[in-house]
Amino acid sequence: MRILHTSDWHLGRSFHRVSLHEAQAAYLDHLVATVRDQEVDVVLVAGDVYDRAVPPLSAVELFDDALHRLAADGVPTVMISGNHDSARRLGVGAGLIGRAGIHLRTDPARCATPVVLPDAHGDVAFYGLPYLEPALVKDVFKAERAGHEAVLTAAMDRVRADLAGRPATTRSVVLAHAFVAGGEPSDSERDITVGGVAAVPAGVFDGVDYVALGHLHGCQTVTERVRYSGSPLAYSFSEAAHRKTMWLIDLDATGAIAAERVDCPVPRPLARLRGRLDALLDDPALDRHQHSWVEATLTDPVRPSEPMARLTERFPHTLSLVLEPDRAPDDPHTSYAQRLRGRDDQSIAEDFVAHVRGGYGTDEQERSVLRSAFDHVRVDETVREVHR
């Protein structure tokens, strides 16, 4: 069976206020063409179909058009909801459109009910694990703890139990939206940390032939059978070095896989430039970036005059300007933003407590209270967005 593994379409998203509607439409055209040219048997979408719980109409129209074309070609599609999607909204009408071969899996309680598709060698069972927000699904799975590893383990136990009751020749594929240890994140994924832990071990998924992951935006191989397809487009400058692709997976009669990357169209390359303004404007080696989307980090000790206007004269598609003057870390003029760069909310809060106490830091009980507070805020924001 030939499988096209995709994820993280984020339909409706923009890039530094630049609309990506045309680029996303071009990607979906490319996806449909790839399905036809490569004789794909099934398409997988491992979550984050949309960029937000209530997507704009233009994004819904893109989604609808792509699914109509896949259904018209008779190619089944299996997709799950991600942490950006509203599972309830995405899942509306799932039973009806399932008759057209578009299989939506958005209900955590149904994770062990697979989509079973046959090929010349027997059945392949596709299990969809939508994004599992631990605080919201802990009771569904009777998990002992409200953490990602606990709820994913409980969900996979159900999957393995169902699989054990099927013929021994049944091959298995799991779709999941999660942060698996060994994956490399970027700046454009929404934080899903719970209790200070975001990643789960890949061993949680043992016992199935292939795991199609979504959430991280870089295409990557965690293990031979556990892979991220990544997002089809770059959604932050931290993805400037990414090669945006989809996975073409061939699953043979024994459950062995062969994997090949299929490149996605690039609407405009990304460039991250760093240095003093005059050097960036004068360096002939940077001519190749004149048509790129540019993030410029200026290191001038004093803010130059009209830096954005001058940059866009040479690099018309400059979208982001960052000021990082060359200064020692302990320089009193170092900006607050620079001192906090790369640090998470937990460590910043702990340092604030230490500061107001005159240097006396937090103990484990206090750190636990802070973690719980951040978890509560994150979950509350998730719930409010989904129910908008």
Side-chain angles (χ1 to χ4, degrees), residues 145-305:
R145 299 180 306 280
H148 288 292
E149 183 174 354
V151 296
L152 273 169
T153 297
M156 282 302 301
D157 284 346
R158 292 189 180 189
V159 167
R160 285 184 282 262
D162 179 84
L163 189 58
R166 296 182 179 275
T169 55
T170 303
R171 288 151 293 158
S172 54
V173 175
V174 165
L175 292 78
H177 197 86
F179 186 176
V180 176
E184 182 65 33
S186 65
D187 292 343
S188 55
E189 298 106 8
R190 184 178 293 167
D191 181 31
I192 60 171
T193 301
V194 175
V197 179
V200 301
V204 163
F205 298 103
D206 285 351
V208 296
D209 294 310
Y210 183 69
V211 181
L213 293 175
H215 181 56
L216 300 186
H217 288 182
C219 182
Q220 49 201 299
T221 300
V222 179
T223 73
E224 186 62 22
R225 295 185 181 274
V226 180
R227 298 169 186 259
Y228 283 99
S229 67
S231 60
L233 298 168
Y235 293 120
S236 70
F237 277 103
S238 66
E239 300 167 58
H242 287 188
R243 174 189 165 199
K244 294 299 182 181
T245 61
M246 305 175 284
W247 282 114
L248 192 63
I249 304 294
D250 285 318
L251 186 67
D252 75 8
T254 68
I257 66 168
E260 177 186 348
R261 293 176 71 176
V262 178
D263 288 304
C264 297
V266 179
R268 193 179 295 279
L270 306 186
R272 305 185 90 174
L273 309 183
R274 182 183 183 88
R276 299 196 176 192
L277 179 58
D278 288 343
L280 298 183
L281 297 178
D282 296 338
D283 187 350
L286 300 182
D287 285 346
R288 67 185 188 277
H289 297 308
Q290 289 183 345
H291 299 290
S292 302
W293 277 324
V294 169
E295 176 190 71
T297 300
L298 302 185
T299 60
D300 301 72
V302 177
R303 180 188 177 98
S305 172

Side-chain angles (χ1 to χ4, degrees), residues 7 13 16 19 22 45 85 92 102 105 130 151 155 164 183 189 211 216 270 290 330 334 356:
S7 75
R13 188 162 184 158
H16 288 266
S19 171
E22 290 186 7
V45 188
D85 299 307
V92 169
I102 307 298
R105 290 295 183 263
V151 296
E189 298 106 8
V211 181
L216 300 186
L270 306 186
Q290 289 183 345
D330 56 352
T334 300
V356 298

Side-chain angles (χ1 to χ4, degrees), residues 25 28-29 32 59-72:
L28 292 174
D29 289 343
V32 173
V60 178
E61 289 172 338
L62 281 181
F63 175 72
D64 181 66
D65 178 66
L67 296 190
H68 270 83
R69 285 187 283 170
L70 291 170

